[in-house]
Amino acid sequence: RLAASARHKVSGTSATISGSGLDWHDMASLLRPDGLGRYSFVGDNDIRFNPQGRQYDTVIMMDCSQCPIHPKLQAAFHETVAKDARLLREKGMRPMLFMSWAYQDKPEMSAALAHQYTQAANTNDLSVIPAGLAFARVFANDKDINLYESDKRHPSLAGTYLAACTAFAALYRESPEGLAYTAGLPKDVAARLQAAAWLSVQEYFAP
């Protein structure tokens, strides 16, 4: 809906295993013929079969919150990114990484996560959505905006909106500032999150 408010047409599919790591996802199986997108649920919950499945131009990958920085899981993160990036390129799709954020009570995770995602991106020639850095910026500068649910891990509505704005900015290399869609947040809060997302993306990709 954020992209639509900028007149970009976008559709996607989420393939998510609850409580999992990136290495749990079998990318080859997801991309098999008649795999993802073979059918869609439309009005009144009817099923529409898509002749050739849904075609994707970009695949965004994200690991579990701790996996890229956990001493026992870090290697699996880098191995899986490399393997899946090769596979996606063979299929003509652009692989990207979504940099996750620190836990609310462990802000030191931000720098470590940013380092690992950036290292994986540089090694495999990938682009990154630096959502974690946007979270760190707002957490440091806008204390009145709560980005987290009560578990201090999952994003609140404001956190989800910030992540969406950062994804928009990284995908399109356009500023989300001034976009009409606010996800129901107060306009001034949405505007501050839009600005933080754009600044974070600009700084991350600066030469």
Side-chain angles (χ1 to χ4, degrees), residues 43-59:
D44 294 326
N45 216 30
D46 289 336
I47 293 178
R48 179 187 65 207
F49 287 92
N50 302 315
Q52 297 179 337
R54 180 169 290 175
Q55 301 300 305
Y56 303 92
D57 54 29
T58 301
V59 174

Side-chain angles (χ1 to χ4, degrees), residues 15-148:
T16 307
I17 303 171
S18 180
S20 73
L22 184 61
D23 59 328
W24 291 24
H25 294 74
D26 185 347
M27 189 67 75
S29 178
L30 293 173
L31 298 178
R32 71 191 187 280
D34 284 334
L36 285 178
R38 186 168 71 90
Y39 51 84
S40 304
F41 294 95
V42 293
D44 294 326
N45 216 30
D46 289 336
I47 293 178
R48 179 187 65 207
F49 287 92
N50 302 315
Q52 297 179 337
R54 180 169 290 175
Q55 301 300 305
Y56 303 92
D57 54 29
T58 301
V59 174
I60 301 170
M61 300 178 286
M62 172 184 162
D63 213 330
C64 77
S65 301
Q66 295 189 59
C67 291
I69 58 176
H70 193 285
K72 294 184 178 179
L73 299 173
Q74 190 177 96
F77 165 69
H78 287 283
E79 290 166 7
T80 304
V81 170
K83 173 177 64 69
D84 287 352
R86 286 193 301 270
L87 176 61
L88 290 165
R89 287 195 172 105
E90 288 170 2
K91 299 284 187 180
M93 301 176 197
R94 173 177 63 156
M96 289 187 71
L97 293 173
F98 183 98
M99 181 197 299
S100 56
W101 47 83
Y103 295 158
Q104 188 175 21
D105 54 353
K106 293 186 178 180
E108 66 275 8
M109 288 173 63
S110 286
L113 285 165
H115 176 74
Q116 294 303 324
Y117 273 98
T118 301
Q119 181 180 325
N122 289 340
T123 300
N124 298 283
D125 193 23
L126 306 178
S127 189
V128 179
I129 297 169
L133 295 178
F135 265 66
R137 178 185 296 278
V138 173
F139 186 76
N141 300 323
D142 296 274
K143 300 288 188 185
D144 59 312
I145 301 179
N146 179 27
L147 301 176
Y148 296 87

